[in-house]
Amino acid sequence: MMTDSNKEQVYRTILQWLKDYDYTIKEDETKRNTLEYYAKVFPPNEEIKFFEIVSDEGFKDGFLLRMSVAFTPKDRSDFEHLKEEAQNNLFIRMHKILSPIRLLCKIENSVISVEKFLFIDVNSIMCKQYFWDSVIEMSNAMYLIELTFFEFIDDLFPKRDR
């Protein structure tokens, strides 16, 4: 069972691993009395796309790795104006991409996010590899999700020949 100090150590170690490879931590919030942790992490040379590391009491000894698709206001408007059936079809396409790599996809309030729960033993090199594999899978998945979204919108609303 993970103790409070272990959870803090895991969180701090994860952030250090990220910093060691030039990831930027823009927000880092810790509420020790409630065991809540939150970090906003930007990959190297990236100023727009980010992922979050989240944990609260409900996650017990785990952490949630979460990325949201960064849509422009026009993209968000296009998505919001899709009929529910079209939104569901888009969700199914995304789910087909994410399921084989064990990532969850959520669509809430016109925000598409990809999530993965992590359980990390910071003393294991295999867990460090698992963490990095998860970060890379997440980054690749977000790229595929964005492509899928734009392909889907283009299929629904083909641009007229000029």
Side-chain angles (χ1 to χ4, degrees):
M1 173 124 175
M2 183 177 282
T3 64
D4 298 355
S5 61
N6 286 358
K7 192 166 188 177
E8 171 84 13
Q9 177 196 3
V10 169
Y11 178 71
R12 293 286 154 219
T13 301
I14 287 171
L15 294 187
Q16 188 58 54
W17 288 345
L18 291 162
K19 290 175 189 173
D20 289 348
Y21 289 91
D22 297 325
Y23 283 70
T24 304
I25 313 300
K26 293 265 177 110
E27 294 178 29
D28 176 7
E29 299 172 16
T30 302
K31 296 177 185 165
R32 284 183 183 84
N33 56 336
T34 59
L35 294 180
E36 292 182 21
Y37 302 93
Y38 175 85
K40 191 175 194 178
V41 181
F42 291 79
N45 305 313
E46 181 61 66
E47 295 178 16
I48 297 172
K49 295 179 184 171
F50 64 89
F51 61 91
E52 300 162 302
I53 298 171
V54 183
S55 191
D56 61 29
E57 289 176 328
F59 294 160
K60 306 273 188 258
D61 58 346
F63 289 86
L64 181 69
L65 190 61
R66 176 177 57 212
M67 282 188 176
S68 298
V69 177
F71 286 134
T72 65
K74 183 192 179 315
D75 296 336
R76 184 176 300 248
S77 175
D78 287 347
F79 179 75
E80 289 171 347
H81 287 94
L82 293 176
K83 289 186 169 67
E84 188 175 339
E85 181 182 344
Q87 286 186 8
N88 288 340
N89 287 338
L90 176 60
F91 183 77
I92 289 167
R93 279 193 194 186
M94 292 178 181
H95 190 70
K96 285 179 180 178
I97 293 169
L98 298 174
S99 291
I101 52 177
R102 299 180 302 279
L103 297 175
L104 301 170
C105 182
K106 287 187 176 177
I107 301 178
E108 295 176 334
N109 302 321
S110 301
V111 174
I112 300 172
S113 59
V114 177
E115 302 178 346
K116 182 172 189 169
F117 283 99
L118 303 175
F119 300 91
I120 304 286
D121 171 3
V122 294
N123 299 313
S124 162
I125 193 69
M126 292 306 294
C127 278
K128 186 174 184 178
Q129 183 65 54
Y130 168 73
F131 173 75
W132 280 110
D133 288 348
S134 298
V135 168
I136 290 165
E137 285 169 353
M138 183 73 64
S139 297
N140 290 339
M142 289 310 298
Y143 179 68
L144 290 172
I145 290 299
E146 288 174 352
L147 285 176
T148 301
F149 174 80
F150 294 122
E151 285 175 351
F152 186 77
I153 294 298
D154 285 345
D155 289 348
L156 282 180
F157 310 108
K159 296 194 174 34
R160 301 207 184 275
D161 292 334
R162 290 168 186 56

